[in-house]
Amino acid sequence: ADVTLVAASKTVPAARVAEAVALGVTDVGENRAQELLAKADALEGTIEAPVRWHFLGRLQRNKVRSLAPRVACWQSVDREALGATIARHAPEARVLVEVNLAGELQKGGCVPSEAGPLTDELRGLGLGVAGLMTIPPEGDDPRRWFAALRDLATDLDLRHLSMGMSDDYEVAVEEGATMVRVGRALFGAR
């Protein structure tokens, strides 16, 4: 009950997302702006329960304006400039700071030492910083990365931890996740 399941619906047709919502899913996450907007539009008026949309992927600032009316939680905020754009189009928005714990060049996220200053900057912009998000290195034991994010969140006095996907969500929950982003385990392989 303390963990929010975010159904990661990348490449999943809107009709399948609607089925998941009908079965009780309330939070849906997307990695691409156009896909989120298309699915949100397709589901509007066709489902009874409201959907809380999460933006999960790397985000270009020029996409924020169109997403702002739809997104309930921005999970991949990794720089002040992006936060400023979100604050302009979605004042007081709920955001998570994405942390790149392993320093992987191909992934977004700030380095751990920048998480505190970025949290302060985002709060100064009027955003509601709810917690941290990470994606551990592929092929590595995720537990140590999840524990490191939990410790960082404790140091920063942040409550929410978005960590864990289809292959490792159980370990993430054991390490303190309050949100898990599960796609393949819900919708099948892409």
Side-chain angles (χ1 to χ4, degrees), residues 107-125:
K107 289 183 180 174
C110 67
V111 297
S113 63
E114 293 174 356
L118 179 56
T119 296
D120 293 340
E121 290 170 350
L122 297 173
R123 284 182 173 148
L125 293 167

Side-chain angles (χ1 to χ4, degrees), residues 39-121:
K39 288 177 189 170
D41 287 346
L43 294 180
E44 191 170 8
T46 65
I47 55 175
E48 292 182 28
V51 173
R52 286 187 299 261
W53 290 97
H54 296 242
F55 193 83
L56 306 174
R58 287 183 104 167
L59 181 59
Q60 297 173 337
R61 293 182 306 163
N62 64 348
K63 306 288 187 192
V64 170
R65 174 184 236 152
S66 60
L67 290 169
R70 298 288 193 174
V71 174
C73 183
W74 306 81
Q75 288 207 25
S76 53
V77 180
D78 60 359
R79 59 200 184 283
E80 189 274 339
L82 176 58
T85 303
I86 292 170
R88 188 173 327 115
H89 297 290
E92 301 177 11
R94 182 177 194 222
V95 302
L96 302 179
V97 171
E98 182 177 2
V99 182
N100 186 337
L101 293 167
E104 296 176 279
L105 297 177
Q106 74 277 18
K107 289 183 180 174
C110 67
V111 297
S113 63
E114 293 174 356
L118 179 56
T119 296
D120 293 340
E121 290 170 350

